[in-house]
Amino acid sequence: MFKTTEDSRIQISELMKPSHANFGGKIHGGYILSLMDNVAFACASKHSRSYCVTASVNKVNFLNPIEVGELVTMKASVNYVGKSSMVVGIRVESENIRTGETKHCNSSYFIMVAVDEEGNKVTVPGLILTNKLSAKRFIKSIIRRDSDIKRSKDLHQLYKNVEDHLEQLKDYRVKIDFK
């Protein structure tokens, strides 16, 4: 079975209230992350027709602050599918409801895994790529995945041979004092 990205696309909007703000008066990043996790779950579950869990989040950059009183909209779509995993791309925008001005606040990729009632992984439907943008997103997800695997292997190797890399630390604000 295959589905298009449009079949599972989700969009939610929520007005930002003072109770969502941090001490600086901006919307707390943790609150936005929680909303993003919810929309990723909804999108992945809609695609897979299964309960889904968050396996990882690939890089979150907060590009612009979100103000109290702004309308935040999150747009999510399945960008990639594996056997039981999915990459859900999320774009976060805020809108000043008085002026209509919108700003891109954040984009991120949530890796979700479909599971059954016992927590076992289940196979998800494949993805039908209907346009160049969906193909580009799928390819970028593969590149990010391959890069993450390589980075993980490189870091694992580094832990085995940390002595080989100590010289690199001379340019950093660190003092080595092994006992």
Side-chain angles (χ1 to χ4, degrees), residues 2 7 12 15 38 41 45 52 58 60 76 125 142 149 153 167:
F2 290 83
D7 291 334
I12 64 164
L15 186 65
N38 289 339
F41 169 83
S45 294
C52 293
N58 189 313
V60 179
I142 292 170
I149 290 169
K153 286 179 182 177
E167 182 63 26

Side-chain angles (χ1 to χ4, degrees), residues 21-33:
N22 60 24
F23 292 116
K26 309 298 183 199
I27 300 305
H28 194 290
Y31 183 71
I32 298 300
L33 284 171

Side-chain angles (χ1 to χ4, degrees), residues 70-87:
E70 289 185 329
L71 185 66
V72 168
T73 300
M74 297 189 181
K75 301 172 183 177
S77 64
V78 173
N79 292 352
Y80 169 88
V81 296
K83 184 173 180 183
S84 61
S85 65
M86 295 155 279
V87 173

Side-chain angles (χ1 to χ4, degrees), residues 156-170:
H156 181 73
Q157 189 63 31
L158 171 66
Y159 286 126
K160 287 182 176 179
N161 304 315
V162 70
E163 294 83 11
D164 297 342
H165 300 277
L166 292 177
E167 182 63 26
Q168 295 173 351
L169 300 179
K170 69 179 184 215

Side-chain angles (χ1 to χ4, degrees), residues 82-101:
K83 184 173 180 183
S84 61
S85 65
M86 295 155 279
V87 173
V88 176
I90 302 172
R91 180 180 173 93
V92 180
E93 297 175 343
S94 68
E95 177 183 356
N96 180 312
I97 56 176
R98 291 188 181 144
T99 66
E101 178 188 353

